[in-house]
C-alpha cells in the first residue's frame, strides 16, 4: 500500500542538472543517467544534445583512454557514452546524424592506424550502425561522399567490429530502392573482389578469417533477402559477383597457386561450402537438383570453377600443409595420435560431401533425350578421392566428424531415393560413381572386414570402434539403395558380380548381424510392457509413433496412482471383495474407469476434509466487519498471558501423553 503515499524523491541527477557548472563526467557517474536518457528526461536531453557534450561523447568512444587508469574504470565512461549515443532517442539521433561536423568526428576513428582497440571499435560500429538504421539517407550519403571509406574498413577487417559495419550496410538499409543503390555503390567499389583478395597466404590469418566470414555472411544475407523480394526485383550485384566463375576461380588460385597455408585453404573452403548451400530456384544458369524431395539449385559456374582444382584438394588429403596442429602428436583420452587428421583435411572431406550431394544428384540431366555426366563427379572417380576418404575413415577410428562426412559421401553416391522427374522412365540410369564405389573402392568388402575385426576385438575384451555407428548406417544405405532408387538395379547387379565368398558373407551379414543391430537400435528406451495384463500389449495406441514415450509415461503415472490408491487412502481389501471381478475387468480393458473412480474418491475425500475443517473453524473465527477500517499503525498493548497459558497447557498435555 506504499502507492498511497507520495514517497517520490528527486534524484541526484536532477540536483546535478540544477547546477550551472555541471559537467558530463559528473552526470555519467550517476547510476540512473542511462535510464533517464531512455525515459527521455527533457533537461538531460537538452544538456546532452549540446555541441560540446556531443563532441565529448564522440571523443570518448573514438580515443584511447589513458593507460594509467584501472582496467575496470578505464572503459567505464566510453561504454556509458556509447550507450547514450545508441539509446535510440530521437533528439540524439537527429543531432548526431544531421550535423556533418559530428559525423566527421565519428568517422575519424577509421583513419587511425591499425590495429584498432577492439572495444572502441565495437563502440564505433554500434554507434554508426544505429545511425545507418535510424538516419539511413543522411549517413549513406555521408559515407558515399568519403573517398576511400571502403578501403579504411577493409584495412581494419582484422577487427571483427568492421565485419558488423559492412553487414549493416547490406542488410539494414531501407527502403528497397535505397538498399539497391547502396548495393550498386558497394559493387562499384568492388567490395566482393577486394574481400577475396584478402584471402591469400600472404595476409594475416585473422584478416583472412574475418574476410572469409564476411563473404559467407554476405552470401547468406543476400540469398535470404532475395527470397523475400518479388521475382521481378533487381538481382543482388554482390551475390552475382561472388557466384561468378571468375570470382570463384580467383579464390581458388589464391589458395593453391604459390605457397599453401592451412588458414588460407580453410577460409577459402568455407566460402565454397557456403556457395554450395541451398538457394532460390528459378535463376538463369542454375541446375535444378532434387534432393530427397526438396528443390536445390546450385550455380553451374561454381562447379565449373571448382572442377580444375579438384586435383589440388585430392593432394591435400594425401599431404596436408604443415602446421603445429598436424605435426605435433596429439594426446587424447584414448592415447597419443601421432599424425592428427587436422582441420584442413576435415574441411576437404566436408567439401567433397557437399560436391557429391550436389553433383551426383544432378548427374541425371535430360538434354535432347540423352544423359550426360557431371564433370565434377567423373573427376572425383578418376582421382580415386572417395577411396582415400574411406582409408581415412578406417584409419582415424575415433574422429566422428570425419566419419559423418564420409557417410554423407557414400549416401550421396547412389543419388536420391525418390524418382527424378527429369529422367524419362524408359532411359537406363547408370551411374559411374556407384560402379567406382563398389568396384574400385571395394565398399562391400571393407564393410565386412571392418565389422569382423570389430567383433573379434570385442570378443577379446576390447572396445567397440568409434566408427561402428556410421558404418552401420552406410551398410543400411547400401541395402536401401538395392531396394529402391534410380540405381537399385545397378547396385543389385554389382552385388551379384561379387566373388561367391564375398557375396555369401554379405548376405549372411545383412540377414544376421545387420538385422540384429538394427533391431537393437530401434528398441525403445522405455518398455511398453508396464501393465500386468498381457492383453494390453495388443492395444493400439491412439497417439502418433513419435509420442509413444510420452504416452508410456502417462500410462505409468496412472498405474502408480491406481496401485497405491488403497494404501494412501486407508481402504481395506474386504471393502472391494464384492466388486473384485469388476475391478479386474476394468484393469484389463481400460484405465479410464479406474482413473475416473480414483478421481471421484479423491474428490469425496477432499470434500469431507473440507467440511470438517470449516465446521471446526467456524466456531473459533469471527468474521471481520468490512465497514470498519482498522488503522494498522495504531499503537496497542500486546498481551502475552493468554499465549503463555496456552503454550504451557499444551506442553504439559504433550508431556503427559508421552509419559
Amino acid at each position: 500500500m506504499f502507492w498511497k503515499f507520495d514517497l517520490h524523491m528527486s534524484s541526484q541527477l536532477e540536483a546535478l542538472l540544477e547546477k550551472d557548472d555541471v559537467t558530463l563526467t559528473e552526470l555519467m557517474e550517476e547510476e540512473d543517467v542511462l535510464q533517464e536518457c531512455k525515459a527521455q528526461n527533457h533537461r538531460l536531453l537538452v544538456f546532452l544534445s549540446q555541441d560540446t557534450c556531443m563532441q565529448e561523447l564522440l571523443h570518448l568512444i573514438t580515443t584511447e583512454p589513458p593507460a594509467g587508469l584501472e582496467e575496470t574504470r578505464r572503459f567505464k565512461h566510453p561504454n556509458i557514452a556509447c550507450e547514450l549515443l545508441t539509446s535510440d532517442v530521437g533528439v540524439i539521433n537527429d543531432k548526431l546524424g544531421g550535423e556533418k561536423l559530428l559525423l566527421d568526428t565519428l568517422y575519424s576513428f577509421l583513419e587511425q592506424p591499425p590495429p584498432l582497440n577492439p572495444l572502441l571499435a565495437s563502440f564505433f560500429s554500434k554507434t554508426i550502425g544505429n545511425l545507418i538504421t535510424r538516419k539511413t539517407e543522411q549517413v549513406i550519403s555521408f559515407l558515399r561522399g568519403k573517398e576511400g571509406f571502403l578501403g579504411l574498413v577493409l584495412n581494419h577487417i582484422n577487427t571483427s567490429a568492421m565485419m558488423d559495419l559492412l553487414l549493416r550496410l547490406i542488410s539494414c538499409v531501407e527502403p528497397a530502392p535505397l538498399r539497391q543503390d547502396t548495393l550498386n555503390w558497394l559493387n562499384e567499389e568492388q567490395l566482393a573482389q577486394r574481400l577475396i583478395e584478402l584471402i591469400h597466404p600472404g595476409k594475416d590469418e585473422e584478416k583472412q578469417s574475418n574476410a572469409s566470414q564476411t563473404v559467407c555472411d554476405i552470401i547468406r544475407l543476400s540469398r535470404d533477402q532475395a527470397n523475400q523480394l518479388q521475382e521481378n526485383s533487381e538481382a543482388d550485384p554482390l551475390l552475382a559477383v561472388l557466384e561468378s566463375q571468375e570470382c570463384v576461380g580467383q579464390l581458388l588460385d589464391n589458395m593453391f597457386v604459390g605457397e599453401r597455408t592451412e588458414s588460407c585453404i580453410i577460409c577459402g573452403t568455407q566460402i565454397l561450402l557456403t556457395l554450395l548451400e541451398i538457394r532460390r530456384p528459378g535463376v538463369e544458369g542454375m541446375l535444378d537438383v532434387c534432393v530427397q524431395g526438396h528443390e536445390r539449385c546450385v550455380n553451374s559456374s561454381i562447379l565449373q570453377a571448382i572442377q580444375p582444382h579438384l586435383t589440388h584438394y585430392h593432394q591435400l588429403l594425401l599431404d596436408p600443409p604443415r602446421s603445429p596442429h598436424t605435426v605435433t602428436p596429439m594426446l587424447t583420452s584414448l592415447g597419443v595420435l601421432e599424425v592428427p587428421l587436422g582441420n584442413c583435411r576435415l574441411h576437404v572431406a566436408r567439401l567433397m560431401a557437399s560436391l557429391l550431394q550436389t553433383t551426383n544428384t544432378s548427374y541425371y540431366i535430360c538434354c535432347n533425350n540423352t544423359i550426360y555426366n557431371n564433370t565434377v563427379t567423373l573427376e572425383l572417380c578418376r582421382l580415386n578421392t572417395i577411396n582415400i576418404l574411406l582409408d581415412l575413415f578406417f584409419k582415424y577410428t575415433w574422429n566422428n566428424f570425419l566419419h559423418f562426412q564420409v557417410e554423407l559421401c557414400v549416401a550421396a553416391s547412389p543419388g536420391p531415393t525418390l524418382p527424378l522427374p527429369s529422367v524419362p522412365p524408359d532411359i537406363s540410369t547408370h551411374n559411374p560413381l556407384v560402379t567406382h564405389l563398389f568396384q574400385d573402392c571395394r565398399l562391400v568388402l571393407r564393410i565386412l572386414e571392418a565389422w569382423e575385426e570389430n567383433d573379434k576385438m570385442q570378443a577379446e575384451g576390447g572396445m567397440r570402434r568409434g566408427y561402428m555407428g556410421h558404418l552401420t548406417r552406410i551398410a543400411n544405405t547400401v541395402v536401401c539403395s538395392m531396394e529402391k532408387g534410380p540405381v537399385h538395379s545397378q547396385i543389385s547387379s554389382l552385388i551379384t558380380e561379387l566373388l561367391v565368398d564375398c557375396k555369401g558373407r554379405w548376405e549372411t551379414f545383412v540377414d544376421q548381424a545387420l538385422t540384429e543391430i538394427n533391431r537393437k537400435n530401434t528398441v525403445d528406451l522405455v518398455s511398453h510392457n508396464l501393465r500386468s495384463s498381457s492383453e494390453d500389449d495388443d492395444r493400439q495406441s491412439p497417439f502418433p509413433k513419435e509420442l509413444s514415450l510420452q504416452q508410456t509415461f502417462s500410462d505409468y503415472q496412472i498405474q502408480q496412482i491406481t496401485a497405491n490408491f488403497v494404501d494412501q487412502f486407508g481402504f481395506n481389501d474386504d471393502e472391494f471383495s464384492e466388486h473384485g471381478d469388476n475391478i479386474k475387468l476394468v484393469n484389463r480393458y481400460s484405465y479410464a474407469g479406474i482413473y475416473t473412480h480414483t478421481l471421484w474418491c479423491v474428490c469425496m475425500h477432499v470434500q469431507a476434509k473440507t467440511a470438517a475443517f470449516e465446521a471446526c473453524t467456524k466456531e473459533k473465527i469471527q468474521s471481520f466487519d468490512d465497514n470498519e477500517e482498522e488503522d494498522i499503525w495504531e499503537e496497542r498493548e500486546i498481551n502475552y498471558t493468554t499465549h503463555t497459558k496456552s503454550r504451557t497447557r499444551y506442553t504439559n498435555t504433550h508431556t503427559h501423553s508421552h509419559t
Side-chain angles (χ1 to χ4, degrees):
M1 291 173 291
F2 296 103
W3 52 85
K4 291 184 179 180
F5 305 96
D6 186 11
L7 300 178
H8 175 72
M9 299 177 59
S10 59
S11 65
Q12 182 66 20
L13 186 66
E14 293 291 341
L16 288 174
L17 291 172
E18 294 286 348
K19 296 169 55 179
D20 294 335
D21 57 346
V22 62
T23 63
L24 180 62
T25 303
E26 291 177 324
L27 291 176
M28 295 175 71
E29 288 293 336
E30 294 299 318
E31 295 182 354
D32 57 346
V33 61
L34 207 57
Q35 179 181 352
E36 291 294 324
C37 179
K38 293 181 179 180
Q40 301 195 19
N41 184 311
H42 178 70
R43 298 184 64 181
L44 177 61
L45 294 180
V46 170
F47 179 84
L48 293 177
S49 59
Q50 298 178 18
D51 291 339
T52 55
C53 286
M54 293 296 293
Q55 287 286 355
E56 189 173 351
L57 289 172
L58 293 173
H59 178 78
L60 285 171
I61 67 171
T62 57
T63 306
E64 189 84 16
L69 296 177
E70 186 179 338
E71 196 66 24
T72 55
R73 295 187 54 83
R74 189 174 174 218
F75 292 97
K76 177 183 177 181
H77 287 174
N79 180 46
I80 296 176
C82 176
E83 294 298 325
L84 290 173
L85 291 171
T86 59
S87 57
D88 203 15
V89 177
V91 175
I92 296 178
N93 290 339
D94 294 342
K95 181 72 175 180
L96 185 55
E99 295 193 9
K100 185 176 181 300
L101 185 61
L102 297 177
L103 290 175
D104 286 333
T105 303
L106 182 63
Y107 183 84
S108 64
F109 179 75
L110 289 176
E111 298 172 341
Q112 299 180 16
L116 298 175
N117 183 293
L119 193 55
L120 292 180
S122 67
F123 296 155
F124 165 81
S125 178
K126 184 177 181 180
T127 303
I128 198 169
N130 179 70
L131 291 176
I132 290 174
T133 304
R134 300 303 179 189
K135 309 297 292 183
T136 307
E137 293 186 9
Q138 297 91 320
V139 175
I140 294 298
S141 176
F142 171 80
L143 294 178
R144 294 186 66 170
K146 289 291 184 179
E147 185 177 357
F149 160 71
L150 206 56
L152 291 175
V153 173
L154 295 178
N155 191 37
H156 298 297
I157 196 66
N158 54 334
T159 304
S160 58
M162 297 300 108
M163 299 167 48
D164 300 334
L165 175 57
L166 288 176
L167 295 178
R168 282 186 176 272
L169 286 173
I170 294 172
S171 61
C172 296
V173 176
E174 295 293 341
L178 180 58
R179 176 182 176 275
Q180 191 64 41
D181 289 342
T182 304
L183 293 177
N184 292 333
W185 164 56
L186 294 175
N187 186 50
E188 292 171 1
E189 295 289 329
Q190 296 188 336
L191 172 61
Q193 295 90 330
R194 294 164 79 171
L195 284 171
I196 295 298
E197 291 175 359
L198 294 177
I199 305 173
H200 191 277
K203 300 295 182 179
D204 178 71
E205 290 188 6
E206 192 70 23
K207 184 171 290 189
Q208 292 185 58
S209 177
N210 288 348
S212 172
Q213 186 61 49
T214 303
V215 172
C216 293
D217 290 340
I218 290 175
I219 294 171
R220 294 190 179 102
L221 283 173
S222 299
R223 288 175 175 175
D224 290 342
Q225 291 182 343
N227 290 334
Q228 299 172 4
L229 297 177
Q230 300 177 357
E231 292 296 330
N232 56 359
S233 60
E234 189 175 350
D236 190 320
L238 294 179
L239 181 61
V241 171
L242 289 172
E243 290 182 334
S244 65
Q245 184 174 352
E246 294 77 14
C247 188
V248 178
Q250 180 62 47
L251 173 64
L252 289 163
D253 288 340
N254 293 346
M255 295 163 56
F256 295 113
V257 175
E259 181 186 4
R260 296 186 308 167
T261 62
E262 185 181 50
S263 60
C264 183
I265 292 172
I266 291 175
C267 293
T269 304
Q270 288 174 347
I271 295 177
L272 297 179
L273 289 170
T274 306
L275 288 171
L276 293 174
E277 290 176 356
I278 299 173
R279 67 153 296 165
R280 180 175 60 147
V283 180
E284 184 178 358
M286 312 302 283
L287 301 178
D288 292 337
V289 183
C290 180
V291 179
Q292 296 182 356
H294 300 284
E295 201 169 45
R296 179 188 179 111
C297 298
V298 177
N299 197 317
S300 58
S301 61
I302 300 174
L303 302 177
Q304 294 172 8
I306 293 177
Q307 190 269 334
H309 295 274
L310 289 177
T311 180
H312 297 115
Y313 274 111
H314 178 82
Q315 189 63 29
L316 287 176
L317 294 175
L318 301 174
D319 183 24
R322 301 292 179 179
S323 70
H325 306 291
T326 57
V327 176
T328 307
M330 179 182 297
L331 179 62
T332 68
S333 58
L334 296 169
V336 178
L337 189 61
E338 294 295 337
V339 183
L341 176 71
N343 199 13
C344 181
R345 287 196 284 186
L346 180 60
H347 272 75
V348 175
R350 290 181 58 195
L351 180 63
M352 295 302 108
S354 182
L355 283 172
L356 286 173
Q357 289 174 351
T358 301
T359 60
N360 193 50
T361 310
S362 63
Y363 166 76
Y364 312 103
I365 304 174
C366 286
C367 180
N368 298 326
N369 292 329
T370 62
I371 298 179
Y372 62 91
N373 298 340
N374 188 285
T375 56
V376 172
T377 302
L378 294 178
E379 182 68 11
L380 290 177
C381 293
R382 185 188 69 82
L383 293 171
N384 203 25
T385 304
I386 308 300
N387 200 19
I388 300 299
L389 288 174
L390 286 172
D391 291 339
L392 296 175
F393 179 94
F394 294 109
K395 178 180 179 180
Y396 293 95
T397 309
W398 305 104
N399 195 322
N400 289 148
F401 297 104
L402 172 65
H403 300 157
F404 177 66
Q405 299 303 326
V406 177
E407 179 193 337
L408 291 179
C409 292
V410 176
S413 299
T417 57
L418 297 177
L420 291 173
S422 58
V423 180
D426 57 338
I427 295 181
S428 171
T429 55
H430 182 274
N431 191 337
L433 183 59
V434 174
T435 303
H436 170 73
L437 190 64
F438 282 85
Q439 292 184 348
D440 300 333
C441 299
R442 301 177 296 113
L443 178 63
V444 171
L445 184 60
R446 286 195 173 202
I447 293 174
L448 294 174
E449 291 177 348
W451 202 282
E452 292 168 357
E453 290 178 6
N454 178 76
D455 289 345
K456 181 180 178 181
M457 179 178 295
Q458 286 190 282
E460 296 174 353
M463 187 181 299
R464 185 173 184 262
R465 295 187 173 180
Y467 53 66
M468 290 304 297
H470 295 279
L471 192 65
T472 302
R473 296 171 63 171
I474 290 175
N476 285 325
T477 299
V478 174
V479 174
C480 181
S481 299
M482 291 177 58
E483 299 174 353
K484 58 183 178 179
V487 291
H488 67 93
S489 58
Q490 180 185 357
I491 295 178
S492 300
S493 176
L494 291 170
I495 296 293
T496 306
E497 295 173 2
L498 294 173
L499 297 177
V500 177
D501 177 62
C502 183
K503 179 182 177 182
R505 289 165 60 192
W506 172 256
E507 293 175 351
T508 303
F509 164 74
V510 172
D511 294 337
Q512 297 179 8
L514 186 60
T515 302
E516 177 63 18
I517 195 65
N518 287 334
R519 185 191 66 80
K520 291 180 179 179
N521 291 338
T522 53
V523 170
D524 293 327
L525 297 178
V526 180
S527 175
H528 288 269
N529 189 19
L530 296 175
R531 298 168 288 275
S532 58
S533 177
S534 60
E535 288 83 357
D536 287 351
D537 294 338
D538 300 330
R539 185 184 65 172
Q540 295 293 330
S541 173
F543 293 87
K545 184 176 180 180
E546 61 270 15
L547 298 180
S548 59
L549 290 181
Q550 292 90 324
Q551 174 64 14
T552 300
F553 181 71
S554 177
D555 291 345
Y556 171 78
Q557 288 179 311
I558 296 176
Q559 184 184 22
Q560 292 301 306
I561 292 176
T562 57
N564 299 331
F565 179 79
V566 176
D567 296 333
Q568 293 175 353
F569 292 97
F571 293 100
N572 298 321
D573 294 339
D574 297 339
E575 297 178 65
F576 291 93
S577 59
E578 297 179 359
H579 307 285
D581 296 336
N582 293 335
I583 292 177
K584 292 180 181 179
L585 185 63
V586 173
N587 183 44
R588 173 170 298 183
Y589 293 103
S590 174
Y591 284 107
I594 292 179
Y595 189 57
T596 305
H597 178 69
T598 301
L599 293 179
W600 177 81
C601 292
V602 171
C603 293
M604 294 298 294
H605 182 76
V606 173
Q607 186 176 1
K609 290 277 189 180
T610 304
F613 176 76
E614 291 178 352
C616 180
T617 56
K618 187 174 182 180
E619 301 175 356
K620 297 183 178 181
I621 301 178
Q622 298 179 356
S623 60
F624 292 94
D625 189 359
D626 297 335
N627 297 327
E628 296 182 3
E629 185 173 344
E630 182 180 3
D631 188 358
I632 63 174
W633 306 108
E634 180 182 358
E635 296 183 1
R636 62 186 67 186
E637 182 180 358
I638 301 176
N639 190 353
Y640 296 96
T641 306
T642 305
H643 300 281
T644 305
K645 290 180 180 180
S646 300
R647 187 178 304 167
T648 304
R649 183 170 58 251
Y650 169 76
T651 305
N652 294 337
T653 305
H654 186 68
T655 306
H656 179 70
S657 63
H658 281 279
T659 304

